[in-house]
Amino acid sequence: MDAGNQDWERGPRHAACPRGTKSSGLGACEWLLVLTSLLIIIVTFPFSVWFCIKVVQEYERVIIFRLGHLLPGRAKGPGLFFFLPCLDTYHKVDLRLQTLEIPFHEVVTKDMFIMEIDAICYYQIENASLLLSSLAHVSKTIQFLVQTTMKRLLAHRSLTEILLERKSIAQDVKVALDSVTCIWGIKVERTEIKDVRLPAGLQHSLAVEAEAQRQARVRMIAAEGERATSESLRMAAEILSGTPAAVQLRYLHTLQSLFTDKPSTVVIPLPFDMLNFVSSPSNRTQGSIPFPNPSKPVEPLNPKRKDSPML
């Protein structure tokens, strides 16, 4: 009485995987026991029906063993299924997605760094009959398989690739696991690298290297700022040198900003004409305010007048 059996072994990935295990036929004594059990069920009907029928949930499948032999065919369920109480034993298998946490384990990278890494594996049972006849401890088997697979794959990658390319590494691990678990009736849906632990010495070295890189970037940015400032000042000087009125306006603006920012500051403005006199080209060559030329004779303030011939 199998209500709604479904084939969970579909897709091209099962082309190279066995679809189940075949059980050897029952012997003469075993067939005799089966017939006897059926006869008892028929005689005690309908009371025996309550002991021969069970219900399976939608997400479950049942594997029946009769006198230790796996019954041929697909797993039973969902719905009602029939079994012989005295001769059959059944096992329920959950087909929902399972989560397995992989503990921390050491991994050696391509550049000879030793690190600890943990992961999470999501898998689903597709062939319950094949699983029960192949594996005794599903979780331990998958855990060890994930650890060995990650050690093998990460040995070909550097530390920087492991830290930056977790998504691609997890996809490679998933593909490698699925190719192996296929023969056990298990499909690996997804793997994720959860955390990476680095030794204390390696963490200190990476921190020093990162700090040095940050300081170098700061110096480069400061140098770029100084260069841009110098270029702007040069252009401003060229503009102001060609427009005397702009120099005067800038001078007044500077005085106003001094009074606004620091009200307690006393500023004695210098006449702008004197500034022009100081900054004239002839005076800039001497570097100071010009003094009278001593080569020219200085006339006396009160020269003696010669007497007129008429006097």
Side-chain angles (χ1 to χ4, degrees):
M1 300 175 63
D2 186 6
N5 284 337
Q6 296 181 1
D7 186 6
W8 290 84
E9 302 169 358
R10 53 182 178 271
R13 70 186 297 271
H14 294 281
C17 300
R19 297 178 61 87
T21 58
K22 294 183 179 180
S23 178
S24 58
L26 300 177
C29 295
E30 293 172 340
W31 274 114
L32 181 60
L33 292 175
V34 171
L35 295 176
T36 304
S37 179
L38 289 174
L39 181 60
I40 293 173
I41 292 174
I42 293 174
V43 171
T44 58
F45 187 82
F47 300 101
S48 60
V49 175
W50 300 102
F51 301 96
C52 300
I53 295 178
K54 295 293 181 179
V55 179
V56 183
Q57 302 296 332
E58 180 68 30
Y59 54 84
E60 294 178 335
R61 295 297 179 270
V62 171
I63 308 302
I64 300 176
F65 292 88
R66 180 163 296 170
L67 295 174
H69 299 277
L70 179 64
L71 292 183
R74 305 188 188 96
K76 310 298 180 182
L80 299 174
F81 72 95
F82 176 83
F83 73 103
L84 300 178
C86 301
L87 305 179
D88 295 347
T89 56
Y90 64 92
H91 299 273
K92 290 184 179 181
V93 179
D94 196 340
L95 300 181
R96 291 177 292 184
L97 187 67
Q98 304 292 329
T99 304
L100 179 62
E101 185 173 357
I102 310 300
F104 281 97
H105 57 282
E106 289 188 353
V107 173
V108 181
T109 62
K110 182 180 179 181
D111 43 3
M112 302 305 295
F113 286 109
I114 299 177
M115 56 191 300
E116 293 184 352
I117 189 170
D118 66 339
I120 300 177
C121 180
Y122 303 90
Y123 66 93
Q124 190 174 11
I125 298 174
E126 288 191 336
N127 193 331
S129 302
L130 184 60
L131 176 68
L132 289 179
S133 60
S134 301
L135 299 180
H137 304 284
V138 179
S139 59
K140 288 186 177 181
T141 303
I142 297 179
Q143 174 183 333
F144 295 150
L145 181 62
V146 171
Q147 291 178 352
T148 55
T149 303
M150 293 187 69
K151 287 183 179 181
R152 176 172 55 86
L153 294 179
L154 296 182
H156 301 282
R157 292 179 178 267
S158 62
L159 177 62
T160 305
E161 293 177 352
I162 295 175
L163 296 178
L164 299 179
E165 301 178 3
R166 292 190 181 186
K167 187 175 181 180
S168 61
I169 293 174
Q171 181 64 24
D172 295 340
V173 173
K174 183 257 181 187
V175 173
L177 292 175
D178 197 31
S179 62
V180 178
T181 58
C182 169
I183 60 177
W184 299 334
I186 300 175
K187 177 177 176 56
V188 178
E189 297 290 344
R190 188 174 182 178
T191 56
E192 291 291 342
I193 297 177
K194 185 178 179 182
D195 195 9
V196 176
R197 289 181 181 176
L198 301 177
L202 180 58
Q203 291 182 8
H204 178 70
S205 301
L206 294 177
V208 172
E209 182 181 356
E211 182 65 22
Q213 292 178 356
R214 286 194 293 268
Q215 292 295 334
R217 286 196 296 268
V218 168
R219 293 190 182 95
M220 291 178 61
I221 294 173
E224 290 291 333
E226 290 292 337
R227 186 183 65 83
T229 303
S230 302
E231 186 69 21
S232 300
L233 290 176
R234 183 185 65 80
M235 296 175 62
E238 292 178 355
I239 295 174
L240 292 177
S241 63
T243 309
V247 178
Q248 186 173 3
L249 292 176
R250 181 61 182 167
Y251 173 68
L252 296 176
H253 182 268
T254 303
L255 294 178
Q256 182 183 3
S257 63
L258 290 177
F259 282 110
T260 303
D261 297 339
K262 298 179 180 180
S264 60
T265 303
V266 177
V267 179
I268 301 177
L270 192 66
F272 199 75
D273 295 337
M274 184 176 293
L275 290 176
N276 292 335
F277 176 75
V278 172
S279 61
S280 61
S282 60
N283 295 330
R284 282 199 302 267
T285 57
Q286 298 180 3
S288 61
I289 300 177
F291 294 96
N293 191 355
S295 61
K296 296 181 180 181
V298 179
E299 296 181 357
L301 296 178
N302 295 320
K304 296 180 179 181
R305 298 181 180 179
K306 297 179 178 180
D307 295 336
S308 175
M310 296 298 297
L311 297 176

